Coordinates of all heavy atoms in Angstrom, one line a residue:
F287 N -81.4 -4.7 54.1 CA -80.7 -5.8 54.6 C -81.2 -6.2 55.9 O -81.9 -5.4 56.7 CB -79.2 -5.4 54.7 CG -78.9 -4.4 55.7 CD1 -78.5 -4.8 57.0 CD2 -78.9 -3.1 55.4 CE1 -78.1 -3.8 58.0 CE2 -78.6 -2.1 56.3 CZ -78.2 -2.5 57.6
G288 N -81.0 -7.5 56.3 CA -81.5 -8.0 57.5 C -83.0 -7.9 57.8 O -83.5 -7.7 58.8
N289 N -83.7 -8.2 56.7 CA -85.2 -8.1 56.7 C -85.9 -9.5 56.8 O -87.1 -9.5 56.8 CB -85.7 -7.4 55.5 CG -85.3 -5.9 55.5 OD1 -85.4 -5.2 56.5 ND2 -84.7 -5.5 54.4
E290 N -85.1 -10.5 56.9 CA -85.7 -11.9 57.0 C -86.4 -12.2 55.7 O -87.3 -13.0 55.7 CB -86.7 -12.0 58.2 CG -86.1 -11.6 59.6 CD -85.1 -12.7 60.0 OE1 -85.2 -13.9 59.8 OE2 -84.1 -12.3 60.6
L291 N -86.0 -11.6 54.6 CA -86.5 -12.0 53.3 C -86.1 -13.4 52.9 O -84.9 -13.8 53.3 CB -86.1 -11.0 52.2 CG -86.6 -9.5 52.4 CD1 -85.9 -8.6 51.4 CD2 -88.1 -9.5 52.4
E292 N -86.8 -14.1 52.1 CA -86.4 -15.5 51.8 C -86.9 -15.9 50.4 O -87.6 -15.1 49.8 CB -86.9 -16.5 52.8 CG -88.5 -16.5 53.0 CD -88.9 -17.3 54.1 OE1 -88.3 -17.5 55.1 OE2 -90.0 -18.0 53.9
G293 N -86.4 -17.0 50.0 CA -86.8 -17.4 48.6 C -85.6 -17.2 47.7 O -84.5 -16.9 48.1
S294 N -85.9 -17.3 46.4 CA -84.8 -17.1 45.4 C -85.0 -15.8 44.6 O -86.1 -15.2 44.8 CB -84.9 -18.3 44.4 OG -86.1 -18.3 43.7
I295 N -84.0 -15.4 44.0 CA -84.1 -14.1 43.1 C -84.6 -14.6 41.7 O -84.0 -15.4 41.1 CB -82.7 -13.5 43.1 CG1 -82.3 -13.0 44.5 CG2 -82.8 -12.3 42.1 CD1 -80.9 -12.4 44.4
S296 N -85.7 -13.9 41.3 CA -86.3 -14.2 40.1 C -85.3 -13.9 38.9 O -84.6 -12.9 39.0 CB -87.6 -13.5 39.9 OG -88.1 -13.6 38.6
T297 N -85.4 -14.6 37.8 CA -84.7 -14.3 36.6 C -85.1 -13.0 36.0 O -84.4 -12.4 35.2 CB -84.8 -15.5 35.6 OG1 -86.2 -15.6 35.3 CG2 -84.2 -16.7 36.1
E298 N -86.2 -12.5 36.4 CA -86.8 -11.3 35.9 C -86.0 -10.1 36.4 O -86.2 -8.9 36.0 CB -88.2 -11.1 36.2 CG -89.1 -12.2 35.4 CD -90.6 -12.0 35.6 OE1 -91.0 -11.0 36.1 OE2 -91.3 -12.9 35.2
I299 N -85.1 -10.3 37.4 CA -84.3 -9.2 37.9 C -83.5 -8.5 36.6 O -83.2 -7.4 36.7 CB -83.3 -9.7 38.9 CG1 -82.7 -8.4 39.6 CG2 -82.2 -10.6 38.4 CD1 -81.9 -8.8 40.9
G300 N -83.3 -9.3 35.6 CA -82.5 -8.8 34.5 C -83.3 -7.8 33.7 O -82.6 -7.0 32.9
Y301 N -84.6 -7.5 34.0 CA -85.3 -6.5 33.4 C -85.1 -5.1 33.9 O -85.5 -4.1 33.4 CB -86.8 -6.8 33.3 CG -87.1 -8.0 32.5 CD1 -87.8 -9.1 33.0 CD2 -86.9 -8.0 31.1 CE1 -88.1 -10.2 32.3 CE2 -87.2 -9.1 30.3 CZ -87.8 -10.2 30.9 OH -88.1 -11.3 30.1
W302 N -84.6 -5.1 35.2 CA -84.4 -3.8 35.9 C -83.1 -3.2 35.5 O -82.2 -3.0 36.4 CB -84.4 -4.1 37.4 CG -85.7 -4.6 38.0 CD1 -86.9 -4.7 37.3 CD2 -86.0 -5.2 39.3 NE1 -87.8 -5.2 38.1 CE2 -87.4 -5.5 39.3 CE3 -85.3 -5.3 40.4 CZ2 -87.9 -6.1 40.4 CZ3 -85.8 -5.9 41.5 CH2 -87.1 -6.2 41.6
D303 N -82.9 -2.9 34.3 CA -81.6 -2.5 33.8 C -81.1 -1.2 34.2 O -80.0 -0.8 33.8 CB -81.7 -2.7 32.2 CG -82.8 -1.9 31.6 OD1 -83.5 -1.2 32.2 OD2 -82.8 -1.9 30.3
N304 N -81.9 -0.4 35.0 CA -81.3 0.9 35.5 C -80.8 0.7 37.0 O -80.4 1.7 37.5 CB -82.4 1.9 35.4 CG -82.6 2.4 33.9 OD1 -81.7 2.6 33.3 ND2 -83.9 2.6 33.6
L305 N -80.8 -0.5 37.5 CA -80.3 -0.7 38.8 C -78.9 -0.3 38.9 O -78.1 -0.7 38.0 CB -80.5 -2.1 39.3 CG -81.9 -2.5 39.9 CD1 -81.8 -4.0 40.3 CD2 -82.3 -1.7 41.1
R306 N -78.5 0.4 39.9 CA -77.1 0.7 40.3 C -76.5 -0.1 41.4 O -75.3 -0.5 41.4 CB -76.9 2.1 40.6 CG -77.5 3.1 39.6 CD -76.4 3.5 38.7 NE -76.8 4.7 37.9 CZ -77.1 4.5 36.5 NH1 -77.1 3.4 36.0 NH2 -77.5 5.6 35.8
K307 N -77.4 -0.4 42.4 CA -76.9 -1.2 43.5 C -77.9 -2.3 43.9 O -79.2 -2.0 43.9 CB -76.7 -0.3 44.7 CG -75.7 0.8 44.5 CD -75.6 1.8 45.6 CE -74.7 3.0 45.4 NZ -73.6 2.9 44.4
I308 N -77.5 -3.4 44.3 CA -78.4 -4.4 44.9 C -77.8 -4.8 46.2 O -76.8 -5.4 46.4 CB -78.4 -5.7 44.0 CG1 -78.9 -5.4 42.6 CG2 -79.3 -6.7 44.6 CD1 -78.9 -6.5 41.7
W309 N -78.5 -4.4 47.2 CA -78.2 -4.8 48.7 C -79.2 -5.7 49.2 O -80.2 -5.3 49.7 CB -78.0 -3.5 49.5 CG -76.9 -2.6 49.1 CD1 -76.0 -2.7 48.2 CD2 -76.7 -1.3 49.7 NE1 -75.1 -1.7 48.1 CE2 -75.6 -0.7 49.0 CE3 -77.3 -0.5 50.7 CZ2 -75.0 0.5 49.3 CZ3 -76.8 0.7 51.0 CH2 -75.7 1.2 50.4
L310 N -78.8 -7.0 49.2 CA -79.8 -8.0 49.8 C -79.1 -8.8 50.9 O -79.5 -9.9 51.2 CB -80.3 -8.9 48.7 CG -81.0 -8.3 47.5 CD1 -81.3 -9.3 46.4 CD2 -82.3 -7.6 48.0
F311 N -78.2 -8.2 51.5 CA -77.3 -9.0 52.5 C -78.1 -9.2 53.8 O -79.1 -8.5 54.1 CB -76.0 -8.3 52.8 CG -76.0 -6.9 53.3 CD1 -75.8 -6.7 54.6 CD2 -76.1 -5.9 52.3 CE1 -75.8 -5.3 55.0 CE2 -76.1 -4.6 52.8 CZ -76.0 -4.3 54.1
E312 N -77.7 -10.3 54.5 CA -78.3 -10.6 55.8 C -79.8 -10.9 55.8 O -80.6 -10.4 56.5 CB -78.0 -9.6 56.9 CG -76.5 -9.4 57.2 CD -76.3 -8.4 58.2 OE1 -77.2 -7.9 58.9 OE2 -75.0 -8.1 58.4
N313 N -80.2 -11.8 54.8 CA -81.5 -12.3 54.7 C -81.5 -13.9 54.6 O -80.5 -14.4 55.1 CB -82.1 -11.7 53.4 CG -82.6 -10.3 53.7 OD1 -83.6 -10.0 54.4 ND2 -81.8 -9.3 53.1
H314 N -82.4 -14.4 54.0 CA -82.5 -15.9 53.8 C -82.7 -16.3 52.5 O -83.4 -17.2 52.2 CB -83.6 -16.5 54.8 CG -83.4 -16.1 56.2 ND1 -82.5 -16.8 57.0 CD2 -84.0 -15.2 57.0 CE1 -82.6 -16.2 58.2 NE2 -83.5 -15.3 58.2
F315 N -82.1 -15.6 51.5 CA -82.2 -15.9 50.1 C -81.5 -17.2 49.8 O -80.4 -17.5 50.3 CB -81.7 -14.8 49.2 CG -82.6 -13.6 49.1 CD1 -82.3 -12.5 49.8 CD2 -83.8 -13.7 48.3 CE1 -83.1 -11.4 49.7 CE2 -84.6 -12.6 48.4 CZ -84.3 -11.4 49.0
T316 N -82.1 -18.1 48.8 CA -81.5 -19.4 48.5 C -81.5 -19.5 47.0 O -81.9 -18.6 46.3 CB -82.4 -20.5 49.1 OG1 -83.7 -20.3 48.5 CG2 -82.5 -20.5 50.6
G317 N -80.8 -20.6 46.6 CA -80.8 -20.8 45.2 C -79.6 -20.2 44.5 O -78.7 -19.6 45.2
K318 N -79.5 -20.3 43.2 CA -78.4 -19.7 42.4 C -78.7 -18.3 42.1 O -79.7 -17.8 42.1 CB -78.2 -20.5 41.1 CG -77.8 -21.9 41.3 CD -77.7 -22.6 40.0 CE -77.3 -24.1 40.3 NZ -77.0 -24.7 39.0
I319 N -77.6 -17.6 42.0 CA -77.6 -16.1 41.6 C -77.9 -16.2 40.1 O -77.2 -16.8 39.3 CB -76.3 -15.4 41.9 CG1 -76.1 -15.3 43.4 CG2 -76.3 -14.0 41.3 CD1 -74.7 -14.8 43.8
P320 N -79.0 -15.6 39.6 CA -79.4 -15.8 38.2 C -78.4 -15.1 37.3 O -78.0 -14.1 37.5 CB -80.8 -15.1 38.2 CG -80.9 -14.3 39.4 CD -80.0 -14.9 40.4
S321 N -78.2 -15.8 36.1 CA -77.3 -15.3 35.2 C -77.8 -14.0 34.6 O -77.1 -13.2 34.1 CB -77.1 -16.2 34.1 OG -78.3 -16.6 33.4
E322 N -79.1 -13.7 34.6 CA -79.7 -12.5 34.1 C -79.2 -11.3 34.8 O -79.4 -10.1 34.3 CB -81.2 -12.6 34.2 CG -81.9 -13.5 33.3 CD -81.9 -15.0 33.7 OE1 -81.3 -15.3 34.8 OE2 -82.3 -15.8 32.9
I323 N -78.5 -11.4 35.9 CA -77.9 -10.3 36.6 C -76.8 -9.6 35.6 O -76.6 -8.5 35.8 CB -77.3 -10.7 37.9 CG1 -77.2 -9.5 38.9 CG2 -75.9 -11.4 37.8 CD1 -77.0 -9.9 40.3
G324 N -76.4 -10.4 34.7 CA -75.5 -9.8 33.7 C -76.1 -8.8 32.8 O -75.3 -8.0 32.2
N325 N -77.4 -8.7 32.7 CA -78.1 -7.7 31.9 C -78.1 -6.3 32.6 O -78.5 -5.3 32.0 CB -79.6 -8.1 31.7 CG -79.6 -9.4 30.9 OD1 -78.7 -9.8 30.2 ND2 -80.8 -10.0 31.0
L326 N -77.7 -6.2 33.9 CA -77.7 -5.0 34.6 C -76.4 -4.2 34.4 O -75.6 -4.1 35.3 CB -78.0 -5.3 36.2 CG -79.2 -6.1 36.3 CD1 -79.3 -6.4 37.9 CD2 -80.5 -5.6 35.8
I327 N -76.3 -3.6 33.2 CA -75.0 -3.1 32.8 C -74.7 -1.8 33.6 O -73.5 -1.3 33.6 CB -75.0 -2.7 31.3 CG1 -76.2 -1.7 31.0 CG2 -75.2 -4.0 30.5 CD1 -76.1 -1.2 29.6
H328 N -75.6 -1.2 34.4 CA -75.3 0.0 35.2 C -75.0 -0.3 36.6 O -74.6 0.6 37.4 CB -76.5 1.0 35.1 CG -76.8 1.5 33.8 ND1 -75.9 2.2 33.0 CD2 -77.9 1.3 32.9 CE1 -76.5 2.5 31.8 NE2 -77.7 1.9 31.8
L329 N -75.0 -1.6 36.9 CA -74.8 -2.0 38.2 C -73.4 -1.8 38.8 O -72.5 -2.1 38.0 CB -75.2 -3.5 38.4 CG -75.4 -4.1 39.7 CD1 -76.6 -3.5 40.4 CD2 -75.5 -5.7 39.6
D330 N -73.3 -1.2 39.9 CA -71.9 -1.0 40.4 C -71.6 -1.5 41.8 O -70.5 -1.7 42.2 CB -71.4 0.5 40.4 CG -72.3 1.4 41.4 OD1 -73.1 0.9 42.2 OD2 -72.3 2.6 41.2
E331 N -72.7 -2.1 42.5 CA -72.5 -2.8 43.8 C -73.4 -4.1 43.9 O -74.7 -3.8 43.6 CB -72.8 -1.9 44.9 CG -71.7 -0.9 45.1 CD -71.9 0.0 46.4 OE1 -72.6 -0.5 47.3 OE2 -71.4 1.1 46.4
I332 N -72.9 -5.2 44.2 CA -73.6 -6.3 44.5 C -73.3 -6.7 46.0 O -72.1 -7.0 46.3 CB -73.4 -7.5 43.6 CG1 -73.7 -7.1 42.2 CG2 -74.1 -8.7 44.0 CD1 -73.3 -8.2 41.2
Q333 N -74.2 -6.7 46.9 CA -74.1 -7.0 48.2 C -75.1 -8.2 48.6 O -76.2 -8.0 48.9 CB -74.3 -5.8 49.1 CG -74.2 -5.9 50.5 CD -73.0 -6.5 51.0 OE1 -72.8 -7.7 51.1 NE2 -72.1 -5.6 51.6
F334 N -74.5 -9.4 48.4 CA -75.3 -10.6 48.7 C -74.9 -11.4 49.9 O -75.2 -12.6 50.0 CB -75.4 -11.5 47.5 CG -76.2 -11.1 46.3 CD1 -76.1 -11.7 45.1 CD2 -77.1 -10.0 46.4 CE1 -76.8 -11.3 44.0 CE2 -77.9 -9.6 45.3 CZ -77.7 -10.3 44.1
A335 N -74.0 -10.8 50.7 CA -73.5 -11.5 51.9 C -74.4 -12.0 52.9 O -75.6 -11.5 53.0 CB -72.5 -10.7 52.6
N336 N -74.1 -13.1 53.6 CA -74.9 -13.6 54.7 C -76.3 -14.1 54.2 O -77.3 -13.6 54.8 CB -75.1 -12.6 55.8 CG -73.7 -12.3 56.4 OD1 -72.9 -13.2 56.7 ND2 -73.3 -11.0 56.5
N337 N -76.3 -14.9 53.2 CA -77.6 -15.5 52.7 C -77.3 -17.0 52.7 O -76.4 -17.5 53.3 CB -78.1 -14.9 51.4 CG -78.8 -13.6 51.6 OD1 -79.9 -13.5 52.1 ND2 -78.1 -12.5 51.2
Q338 N -78.1 -17.7 51.8 CA -77.8 -19.1 51.5 C -77.8 -19.4 50.1 O -78.2 -20.4 49.7 CB -78.9 -19.9 52.2 CG -79.0 -19.6 53.7 CD -80.3 -20.0 54.4 OE1 -81.2 -20.6 53.8 NE2 -80.5 -19.5 55.6
F339 N -77.2 -18.5 49.3 CA -77.0 -18.8 47.9 C -76.1 -19.9 47.7 O -75.2 -20.1 48.4 CB -76.5 -17.5 47.1 CG -77.4 -16.3 47.1 CD1 -77.1 -15.2 47.8 CD2 -78.5 -16.4 46.2 CE1 -78.0 -14.1 47.7 CE2 -79.4 -15.4 46.2 CZ -79.2 -14.2 46.9
N340 N -76.4 -20.7 46.6 CA -75.6 -21.9 46.4 C -75.3 -21.9 44.9 O -75.6 -21.0 44.1 CB -76.3 -23.2 46.8 CG -77.6 -23.4 46.2 OD1 -77.7 -23.2 44.9 ND2 -78.5 -23.8 46.9
G341 N -74.5 -23.0 44.5 CA -74.1 -23.1 43.1 C -72.8 -22.3 42.9 O -72.1 -21.9 43.7
T342 N -72.6 -22.0 41.6 CA -71.4 -21.3 41.2 C -71.7 -19.9 41.0 O -72.9 -19.5 40.8 CB -70.8 -21.9 39.9 OG1 -71.7 -21.9 38.9 CG2 -70.4 -23.4 40.2
I343 N -70.7 -19.1 40.9 CA -70.7 -17.6 40.5 C -71.0 -17.6 39.0 O -70.2 -18.2 38.2 CB -69.5 -16.8 40.9 CG1 -69.3 -16.9 42.4 CG2 -69.7 -15.4 40.4 CD1 -68.0 -16.4 42.8
T344 N -72.0 -17.0 38.6 CA -72.4 -16.9 37.1 C -71.3 -16.1 36.4 O -70.9 -15.0 36.8 CB -73.8 -16.4 36.8 OG1 -74.0 -16.3 35.5 CG2 -74.0 -15.1 37.5
S345 N -70.9 -16.6 35.2 CA -69.9 -15.9 34.5 C -70.5 -14.6 33.9 O -69.8 -13.7 33.5 CB -69.3 -16.8 33.3 OG -70.4 -17.1 32.5
M346 N -71.8 -14.5 33.9 CA -72.5 -13.4 33.3 C -72.3 -12.1 34.1 O -72.4 -11.0 33.6 CB -74.0 -13.7 33.2 CG -74.3 -14.7 32.2 SD -73.9 -14.5 30.5 CE -75.0 -13.3 30.0
I347 N -71.8 -12.3 35.3 CA -71.5 -11.1 36.2 C -70.4 -10.3 35.5 O -70.3 -9.1 35.6 CB -71.1 -11.5 37.6 CG1 -72.4 -11.9 38.4 CG2 -70.4 -10.3 38.3 CD1 -72.2 -12.3 39.8
G348 N -69.7 -11.0 34.7 CA -68.5 -10.4 34.0 C -69.0 -9.3 32.9 O -68.2 -8.5 32.5
Q349 N -70.2 -9.3 32.7 CA -70.8 -8.3 31.8 C -71.0 -6.9 32.4 O -71.3 -5.9 31.7 CB -72.1 -8.8 31.1 CG -71.9 -10.0 30.2 CD -73.2 -10.4 29.5 OE1 -74.2 -9.6 29.4 NE2 -73.2 -11.6 29.0
N350 N -71.0 -6.9 33.7 CA -71.3 -5.7 34.6 C -70.0 -4.9 34.7 O -69.3 -4.9 35.8 CB -71.8 -6.1 35.9 CG -73.1 -6.9 35.8 OD1 -73.0 -8.2 35.8 ND2 -74.2 -6.3 35.6
K351 N -69.6 -4.3 33.7 CA -68.3 -3.5 33.6 C -68.1 -2.5 34.6 O -67.0 -2.0 34.9 CB -68.0 -3.0 32.2 CG -68.0 -4.1 31.1 CD -67.0 -5.1 31.3 CE -66.9 -6.1 30.1 NZ -66.2 -7.3 30.4
N352 N -69.2 -2.0 35.3 CA -69.2 -0.9 36.2 C -69.0 -1.3 37.6 O -68.9 -0.5 38.6 CB -70.5 0.0 36.0 CG -70.5 0.7 34.8 OD1 -69.5 1.2 34.3 ND2 -71.7 0.8 34.1
I353 N -69.0 -2.6 37.9 CA -69.0 -3.1 39.3 C -67.7 -2.7 39.9 O -66.6 -3.0 39.5 CB -69.2 -4.6 39.3 CG1 -70.7 -4.9 39.0 CG2 -68.9 -5.2 40.7 CD1 -71.1 -6.4 39.2
T354 N -67.9 -2.1 41.1 CA -66.7 -1.7 42.0 C -66.7 -2.6 43.2 O -65.7 -2.7 43.8 CB -66.8 -0.2 42.3 OG1 -68.0 0.0 43.0 CG2 -66.7 0.7 41.1
W355 N -67.9 -3.1 43.7 CA -67.9 -3.7 44.9 C -68.8 -5.0 44.7 O -69.9 -4.9 44.3 CB -68.6 -2.8 45.9 CG -68.8 -3.4 47.3 CD1 -69.7 -4.3 47.7 CD2 -68.2 -2.9 48.5 NE1 -69.6 -4.5 49.0 CE2 -68.7 -3.6 49.6 CE3 -67.2 -1.9 48.7 CZ2 -68.3 -3.5 50.9 CZ3 -66.9 -1.8 50.1 CH2 -67.4 -2.5 51.2
M356 N -68.3 -6.2 45.1 CA -69.0 -7.4 45.1 C -68.7 -8.2 46.4 O -67.6 -8.6 46.7 CB -68.7 -8.2 43.9 CG -69.5 -9.4 43.7 SD -69.1 -10.5 42.2 CE -68.8 -9.3 41.0
D357 N -69.8 -8.4 47.2 CA -69.7 -9.2 48.4 C -70.7 -10.3 48.3 O -71.9 -10.2 48.4 CB -70.0 -8.3 49.6 CG -69.7 -9.0 50.9 OD1 -69.4 -10.2 51.0 OD2 -69.8 -8.3 52.0
L358 N -70.1 -11.6 48.1 CA -70.8 -12.8 48.1 C -70.5 -13.7 49.3 O -70.7 -14.9 49.3 CB -70.6 -13.5 46.8 CG -70.8 -12.7 45.5 CD1 -70.5 -13.6 44.3 CD2 -72.2 -12.3 45.4
S359 N -69.8 -13.1 50.3 CA -69.3 -13.9 51.4 C -70.5 -14.5 52.3 O -71.6 -14.0 52.2 CB -68.4 -13.0 52.3 OG -69.2 -12.0 52.9
N360 N -70.1 -15.6 53.0 CA -71.0 -16.2 53.9 C -72.3 -16.8 53.2 O -73.4 -16.4 53.6 CB -71.4 -15.3 55.1 CG -70.2 -14.9 55.9 OD1 -69.4 -15.7 56.4 ND2 -70.0 -13.6 56.1
N361 N -72.1 -17.5 52.2 CA -73.2 -18.2 51.5 C -72.8 -19.6 51.4 O -72.0 -20.1 52.1 CB -73.4 -17.5 50.1 CG -74.2 -16.3 50.2 OD1 -75.4 -16.3 50.5 ND2 -73.6 -15.1 50.0
D362 N -73.2 -20.3 50.4 CA -72.9 -21.6 50.1 C -72.5 -21.8 48.6 O -72.8 -22.8 48.0 CB -74.2 -22.6 50.3 CG -73.8 -23.9 50.9 OD1 -72.7 -24.1 51.3 OD2 -74.8 -24.7 51.1
I363 N -71.7 -20.9 48.1 CA -71.3 -20.8 46.7 C -70.0 -21.7 46.6 O -69.2 -21.8 47.5 CB -70.9 -19.4 46.3 CG1 -72.2 -18.6 46.4 CG2 -70.3 -19.3 45.0 CD1 -72.0 -17.0 46.2
S364 N -70.0 -22.4 45.5 CA -68.9 -23.4 45.3 C -68.3 -23.1 43.9 O -68.8 -22.4 43.1 CB -69.4 -24.8 45.4 OG -70.4 -25.1 44.6
G365 N -67.3 -23.9 43.6 CA -66.7 -23.9 42.3 C -65.6 -22.8 42.2 O -65.1 -22.3 43.2
S366 N -65.1 -22.6 41.0 CA -64.1 -21.6 40.8 C -64.6 -20.2 40.5 O -65.8 -20.1 40.1 CB -63.1 -22.1 39.6 OG -63.9 -22.3 38.5
I367 N -63.7 -19.3 40.5 CA -64.0 -17.9 40.2 C -64.0 -17.8 38.7 O -63.0 -18.2 38.0 CB -63.0 -16.9 40.8 CG1 -63.0 -17.0 42.3 CG2 -63.2 -15.5 40.3 CD1 -61.9 -16.2 43.0
P368 N -65.1 -17.4 38.1 CA -65.1 -17.3 36.6 C -64.1 -16.3 36.1 O -63.8 -15.2 36.7 CB -66.5 -16.7 36.3 CG -67.3 -16.9 37.5 CD -66.3 -16.9 38.7
E369 N -63.4 -16.7 35.0 CA -62.4 -15.8 34.4 C -63.0 -14.4 34.0 O -62.1 -13.5 34.0 CB -61.9 -16.5 33.1 CG -61.0 -17.7 33.4 CD -60.4 -18.3 32.2 OE1 -60.1 -17.5 31.3 OE2 -60.1 -19.5 32.1
Q370 N -64.2 -14.3 33.8 CA -64.8 -13.0 33.4 C -64.7 -12.0 34.5 O -64.6 -10.8 34.3 CB -66.2 -13.1 33.0 CG -66.5 -13.9 31.7 CD -66.4 -15.4 31.9 OE1 -66.1 -16.0 32.9 NE2 -66.7 -16.2 30.8
L371 N -64.6 -12.5 35.8 CA -64.4 -11.5 36.9 C -63.0 -10.8 36.9 O -62.9 -9.7 37.2 CB -64.7 -12.3 38.2 CG -65.9 -12.1 38.9 CD1 -67.0 -12.6 38.1 CD2 -65.9 -12.7 40.3
Y372 N -62.1 -11.5 36.3 CA -60.7 -10.9 36.3 C -60.6 -9.8 35.2 O -59.7 -9.0 35.3 CB -59.7 -12.0 35.9 CG -59.6 -13.1 36.9 CD1 -60.1 -14.4 36.6 CD2 -59.1 -12.9 38.2 CE1 -60.0 -15.5 37.5 CE2 -58.9 -13.9 39.1 CZ -59.5 -15.2 38.8 OH -59.4 -16.1 39.7
E373 N -61.7 -9.7 34.4 CA -61.7 -8.7 33.4 C -62.5 -7.4 33.9 O -62.6 -6.3 33.2 CB -62.4 -9.1 32.1 CG -61.6 -10.3 31.5 CD -62.4 -10.9 30.4 OE1 -63.3 -10.4 29.9 OE2 -62.0 -12.1 29.9
L374 N -63.0 -7.4 35.1 CA -63.7 -6.2 35.6 C -62.7 -5.3 36.2 O -62.3 -5.3 37.4 CB -64.7 -6.7 36.7 CG -65.8 -7.7 36.3 CD1 -66.6 -8.2 37.5 CD2 -66.7 -6.9 35.2
Q375 N -62.3 -4.3 35.4 CA -61.3 -3.4 35.7 C -61.7 -2.3 36.7 O -60.8 -1.8 37.4 CB -60.8 -2.6 34.4 CG -60.2 -3.6 33.5 CD -59.7 -2.8 32.2 OE1 -59.8 -1.7 32.1 NE2 -59.2 -3.6 31.3
N376 N -62.9 -2.2 37.0 CA -63.4 -1.2 38.0 C -63.6 -1.9 39.4 O -63.9 -1.2 40.3 CB -64.7 -0.5 37.6 CG -64.5 0.4 36.4 OD1 -63.5 1.1 36.4 ND2 -65.4 0.3 35.4
L377 N -63.5 -3.2 39.4 CA -63.8 -3.9 40.6 C -62.6 -3.6 41.7 O -61.5 -3.8 41.4 CB -63.8 -5.4 40.4 CG -64.2 -6.3 41.5 CD1 -65.6 -6.0 42.0 CD2 -64.1 -7.8 41.1
R378 N -63.1 -3.1 42.8 CA -62.1 -2.7 43.9 C -62.2 -3.6 45.1 O -61.3 -3.8 45.7 CB -62.3 -1.2 44.3 CG -62.2 -0.3 43.2 CD -60.7 -0.1 42.7 NE -60.6 0.9 41.7 CZ -60.4 0.5 40.4 NH1 -60.4 -0.8 40.1 NH2 -60.2 1.4 39.5
F379 N -63.5 -4.1 45.3 CA -63.7 -4.9 46.5 C -64.4 -6.2 46.1 O -65.4 -6.2 45.5 CB -64.5 -4.2 47.6 CG -63.9 -2.9 48.1 CD1 -64.3 -1.7 47.5 CD2 -62.9 -3.0 49.0 CE1 -63.6 -0.6 47.9 CE2 -62.4 -1.8 49.5 CZ -62.7 -0.6 48.9
L380 N -63.7 -7.4 46.4 CA -64.3 -8.7 46.2 C -64.2 -9.5 47.4 O -63.2 -9.8 47.8 CB -63.6 -9.3 44.9 CG -64.1 -10.7 44.6 CD1 -65.5 -10.7 44.2 CD2 -63.2 -11.3 43.5
Y381 N -65.4 -9.9 47.9 CA -65.5 -10.7 49.2 C -66.1 -12.0 48.9 O -67.2 -12.0 48.5 CB -66.2 -9.9 50.3 CG -65.6 -8.6 50.7 CD1 -66.1 -7.4 50.1 CD2 -64.5 -8.6 51.5 CE1 -65.5 -6.2 50.5 CE2 -64.0 -7.3 51.9 CZ -64.4 -6.2 51.4 OH -63.8 -5.0 51.7
L382 N -65.4 -13.1 49.1 CA -65.9 -14.4 48.7 C -65.7 -15.3 49.9 O -65.9 -16.6 49.9 CB -65.2 -15.0 47.5 CG -65.4 -14.2 46.3 CD1 -64.6 -14.8 45.1 CD2 -66.9 -14.1 45.8
S383 N -65.3 -14.8 51.1 CA -65.0 -15.6 52.3 C -66.2 -16.5 52.8 O -67.3 -16.1 52.5 CB -64.4 -14.8 53.4 OG -65.4 -13.9 53.8
N384 N -65.9 -17.6 53.4 CA -66.9 -18.4 54.0 C -67.9 -19.0 53.1 O -69.1 -18.9 53.4 CB -67.6 -17.7 55.3 CG -66.5 -17.5 56.3 OD1 -65.7 -18.3 56.7 ND2 -66.5 -16.2 56.8
N385 N -67.4 -19.5 52.1 CA -68.3 -20.3 51.1 C -67.9 -21.6 51.0 O -67.0 -22.2 51.6 CB -68.2 -19.6 49.7 CG -69.2 -18.3 49.6 OD1 -70.4 -18.5 49.6 ND2 -68.6 -17.2 49.5

C-alpha cells in the first residue's frame, strides 16, 4: 500500500485463483474493478481504498463467498450496491464511504 502504483488492474487478475488477500490501497489505480475478480474464489479480503477506481461495483464480486473484508472507500465508484453483495454471508466489514 502507498507505493504510488498507477494504471488499471488487468483482467488477467482472474487467473490468480489462489489469492487470499488483495491489498492495493493508497495508490493511484484507475479504471473499473475488473469483473474477473469474481474468479478468485479463495479471496477473503479486498482492500482498494484511496485510489481512483470508477464505474460501478461489479456484481461478480458476489461469487467470492469467502470475503470477510471489503474496503472500496475513497474512490470514484458510483451506482448502486449489487444485490449479490447481500448474499455474502461471511462479509463482516464493508466500507464504501466517499465515493
